[in-house]
Amino acid sequence: MLRSGGFAITSELDPPDSADPEDVYRRARVFDGYVDAINATDGSGANCHMSSLAVCALLTRVGYAPVMQISCRDKNRIAIQGDILGGAAMGVANMLCLTGDGVQSGDHPQAKPVFDLDCMSLLEIGRTLRDEHRFQSGRKVTFAPRVFFGAAANPFGLPFEWRAQRLAKKVAAGAQFIQTQYCYDVPRLKSFMQMVEDLGLAGKVFVLVGVGPLRTAKAAEWMRTNVPGIHIPDSVIKRMAGAEKPALEGRQICIDIIQEVREIKGVSGVHIMAYRQEDTVPDIVDRSGVLAGRVPWYPGRDVPLSNSKETA
């Protein structure tokens, strides 16, 4: 979708605290016809859930296009390289390379962090596997993984002037697409994208801007105070606080931002992070109009209705 010049939509699947595969499929079906790929998070926030590799195994089994997140927090380079090969063998074509949140922020603060690699070195190792057909050790890989590698970026972190330069380093390391932190400040995003263009990165990487609905003004205040890298302007907090129905207003803010960022040069799509609000994604995508009548593929989309009834 990105290479064809289309405006891509991705979203995140909240992994279950369960070993039941139907829990994964039920959550994935919410996105049917609205997203081009589904991120399978890897211990987001350093909290324990079903693994990203397992979620991707289930999704690819029925034909979904997942983005497998790989965090450096929990595994060394031996395990990570094995996961890249295993994911590719299952049909995972997109992998997002992350350093990972520290264990102190999660539900197992007593766990031992690994961090054998960071995002940059993980990207380089992944690219070596794919392009040079070898492990980092130098041993040859008989069939290289065919993978589209991505990384995360935060256009709103401090010092702001360094953010585009850090993105440039990730592109040099092998990042082909970027999913950003939540965007609630479009003017600042525009400044970031201008710096990206000034660094000559236009056309070298696809940028998907992170967006998401807010529930309440209190929740927005908590996010910008407690979640590193989150920047929510006072104007957004004020708009939420003055709303008669804050959840609906938060959804409208998300829609407004999507419509604004789609017009910014260099933006190739949006990544919708609706944590515990996944059921709002179809409405957000519909009302934003970004699909322009396009229906992203999902399992069963092209099965004639008569055949689907017979199968059922």
Side-chain angles (χ1 to χ4, degrees):
M1 177 53 60
L2 291 171
R3 285 170 173 157
S4 72
F7 193 84
I9 311 290
T10 61
S11 193
E12 289 190 350
L13 184 149
D14 182 25
D17 297 337
S18 162
D20 184 356
E22 183 53 34
D23 287 341
V24 173
Y25 294 134
R26 184 175 62 252
R27 295 174 189 215
R29 283 193 289 268
V30 170
F31 304 126
D32 282 0
Y34 295 97
V35 306
D36 297 295
I38 302 172
N39 276 45
T41 59
D42 188 17
S44 179
N47 294 308
C48 190
H49 309 284
M50 185 186 288
S51 72
S52 178
L53 185 64
V55 170
C56 286
L58 293 169
L59 293 178
T60 56
R61 182 182 296 176
V62 296
Y64 284 107
V67 178
M68 188 172 90
Q69 293 189 1
I70 305 174
S71 168
C72 298
R73 177 190 56 243
D74 307 316
K75 298 178 180 179
N76 64 20
R77 67 193 67 195
I78 299 172
I80 286 175
Q81 289 177 95
D83 282 354
I84 292 173
L85 291 184
M90 293 185 301
V92 177
N94 315 287
M95 297 185 184
L96 189 75
C97 300
L98 305 167
T99 299
D101 302 307
V103 296
Q104 69 278 359
S105 65
D107 59 359
H108 289 71
Q110 72 276 21
K112 292 183 179 179
V114 178
F115 293 115
D116 182 30
L117 304 171
D118 61 11
C119 173
M120 304 291 189
S121 52
L122 172 53
L123 283 165
E124 290 170 352
I125 281 179
R127 186 176 59 180
T128 297
L129 275 170
R130 184 193 63 203
D131 298 346
E132 300 180 22
H133 299 206
R134 63 178 176 85
F135 293 106
Q136 191 192 34
S137 66
R139 202 169 84 250
K140 282 291 184 179
V141 174
T142 58
F143 190 93
R146 297 170 179 172
V147 178
F148 193 53
F149 284 111
N154 184 0
F156 315 102
L158 298 175
F160 178 64
E161 295 74 18
W162 293 4
R163 308 319 297 179
Q165 295 175 17
R166 181 163 176 78
L167 172 59
K169 291 180 179 179
K170 292 183 178 182
V171 174
Q176 297 164 286
F177 73 95
I178 295 292
Q179 292 176 330
T180 81
Q181 179 60 281
Y182 286 104
C183 171
Y184 294 105
D185 189 334
V186 176
R188 185 171 290 192
L189 176 70
K190 289 180 178 177
S191 298
F192 170 79
M193 291 305 298
Q194 183 61 56
M195 287 189 284
V196 167
E197 183 176 2
D198 292 344
L199 288 172
L201 298 178
K204 294 183 178 179
V205 66
F206 298 101
V207 178
L208 284 78
V209 176
V211 296
L214 296 165
R215 285 185 182 273
T216 63
K218 185 177 180 180
E221 283 277 15
W222 186 91
M223 282 177 65
R224 74 173 181 177
T225 302
N226 296 284
V227 181
I230 293 285
H231 169 66
I232 304 178
D234 290 339
S235 59
V236 173
I237 304 288
K238 184 177 180 180
R239 182 173 166 182
M240 289 292 296
E244 184 177 342
K245 296 181 178 179
L248 291 180
E249 188 67 19
R251 199 180 304 182
Q252 185 60 53
I253 290 171
C254 182
I255 292 166
D256 293 345
I257 291 172
I258 291 173
Q259 291 174 335
E260 286 188 74
V261 303
R262 70 183 297 192
E263 303 299 329
I264 299 175
K265 185 179 180 181
V267 172
S268 300
V270 290
H271 177 54
I272 304 174
M273 296 174 282
Y275 179 62
R276 294 184 178 176
Q277 300 183 74
E278 289 85 358
D279 60 326
T280 67
V281 171
D283 180 58
I284 289 170
V285 173
D286 264 342
R287 292 169 56 201
S288 70
V290 290
L291 286 178
R294 181 173 67 87
V295 180
W297 191 90
Y298 61 91
R301 187 195 70 173
D302 300 324
V303 176
L305 187 60
S306 57
N307 287 355
S308 63
K309 287 181 179 178
E310 289 171 8
T311 302

